[in-house]
Amino acid sequence: MPAHRIADDAEAIDVARQLAADFRTGALLRDRERRLPWAELDALSHSGLLALRVPRSHGGAGVSYTTVGRVVATVSEADPSLGQLFLSILLANAIVEAVGTPAQQAELFGKVLAGWRWGNGHAEAGGPRSGVTTTTLVRRADGNYVLDGCKFYATGALFSHLVSVGAVDEVGRAVTAVLDRHAPGLSIVDDWDGFGQRTTASGTLVAEGVVVEPGRVLDSERARAISGSFGLPDLVHSAIDLGIARAAADDAIAYTRGRARGHGRAGVQQAVDDPYVRQEVGNLVVRVHAAEALLERGTRLFDAAQGGDAAARDEATVALAEAKILTTEAALLASNVIFQLGGASSTRAQHGLDRHWRNARTHTVHDPVHWKYPLIGGHYLARGRLA
């Protein structure tokens, strides 16, 4: 079944809404029983949404990053594990567009347009601090390379057709090897046992003597300097957290309206008439809408910064850091308030409301926000004004 070609931004958002309606139906059961979303990922592949950022010059829709944020948030509202699987392919697209040769772009963009899924293997466990890469890509006498190393949090790799693996070459430069999912020497282990985002299959990837052709090696170091991918992780993570916040807030409101009882001391028959309940719901709605607004602002500035100067990139980076802070807070608040409003009965397993908190708590620590406050503060102190 060939993949559909998304025509423009409006169609991308419409397709995302249609898919989200289907994904929402089985999300609770997939989480409860850790049913990996093979059918849902096939639907994503065939929908054309995975090719959102393939440039128009190569047959793609080349949609804006503002649309990307809306699409990821829409899918994540239905199932944030599915939303998280967008990041790998979006980053890969950005790197291929920035530093890929014409031959690499033709091959790799063609595969994405055909519905191929793209996972990643970048983060490594252990070591004194995160972000250190020990995986190596060494050139052989015959011109090919050999990849060796172990990765954790290899989100989406289990489901993929292509896998980007971060490594360092002989002189310590950052490079990316693009592997076929079943390349000899590549093992992907389904050992992710986190209590949230359970069906991302973010487990272990092991590369033992994997042979990589030169045409499948990308210069990550150069891509970081010239590509527009600098703020993409914050953008996508924020959209995922916003989706979690929306879903939890909707369930909180629905449960309060349909099941929560008025507290005896409040002097009301229904929870919806309790002033405290109304205040909590009002506060929650304001926080979620504020998070939406900051993400929209961040994605607009990120679009404007593509191909722009360092000042424009800094502005977008700070704006997306602001969005990441508020979407994190909104997701954690919504997934906690749901029980505060619903009472003890809302914690029953049959409702599955705990999945929102587990997903929010797990996903929001992928990129902790505590270091973003000084980044933002330093930016505005150097500027001397808000705008």
Side-chain angles (χ1 to χ4, degrees), residues 86-306:
F86 276 93
L87 181 56
S88 297
I89 199 165
L90 289 167
L91 281 170
N93 267 263
I95 294 173
V96 172
E97 184 176 7
V99 300
T101 65
Q104 288 173 323
Q105 291 179 343
E107 182 205 359
L108 297 173
F109 284 147
K111 291 183 184 303
V112 173
L113 286 167
W116 286 41
R117 295 189 290 271
W118 204 323
N120 87 84
H122 288 286
E124 298 184 7
R129 61 184 177 87
S130 63
V132 175
T133 299
T134 62
T135 299
T136 58
L137 188 71
V138 178
R139 190 157 196 162
R140 300 191 312 193
D142 64 1
N144 288 326
Y145 294 82
V146 176
L147 181 74
D148 288 285
C150 182
K151 303 289 186 177
F152 198 51
Y153 308 122
T155 301
L158 186 72
F159 310 121
S160 66
H161 303 98
L162 296 171
V163 188
S164 293
V165 180
V168 290
D169 64 13
E170 298 94 330
V171 295
R173 287 178 54 83
V175 290
T176 296
V178 181
L179 311 179
D180 290 325
R181 163 66 179 83
H182 296 289
L186 177 64
S187 302
I188 299 170
V189 186
D190 182 20
D191 58 355
W192 170 243
D193 60 357
F195 62 63
Q197 296 296 90
R198 298 186 68 215
T199 59
T200 58
S202 300
T204 301
L205 178 152
V206 180
E208 297 178 300
V210 179
V211 177
V212 185
E213 297 176 358
R216 287 293 188 87
V217 178
L218 298 167
D219 187 344
S220 309
E221 198 138 320
R222 180 165 170 259
R224 289 172 186 167
I226 68 172
S227 79
S229 64
F230 54 91
L232 195 48
D234 267 359
L235 190 159
V236 176
H237 288 314
S238 295
I240 296 164
D241 294 338
L242 177 60
I244 295 171
R246 284 175 177 167
D250 275 348
D251 278 354
I253 291 169
Y255 192 93
T256 302
R257 281 168 52 89
R259 290 178 176 271
R261 297 184 297 174
H263 195 279
R265 295 181 181 178
V268 296
Q269 294 298 315
Q270 296 178 309
V272 294
D273 296 322
D274 186 335
Y276 163 79
V277 170
R278 292 185 174 189
Q279 178 177 321
E280 288 299 308
V281 172
N283 178 60
L284 174 58
V285 170
V286 168
R287 303 281 180 171
V288 174
H289 285 169
E292 288 176 336
L294 274 188
L295 181 56
E296 283 282 314
R297 176 176 177 270
T299 55
R300 288 197 304 271
L301 288 171
F302 191 61
D303 277 321
Q306 300 304 303

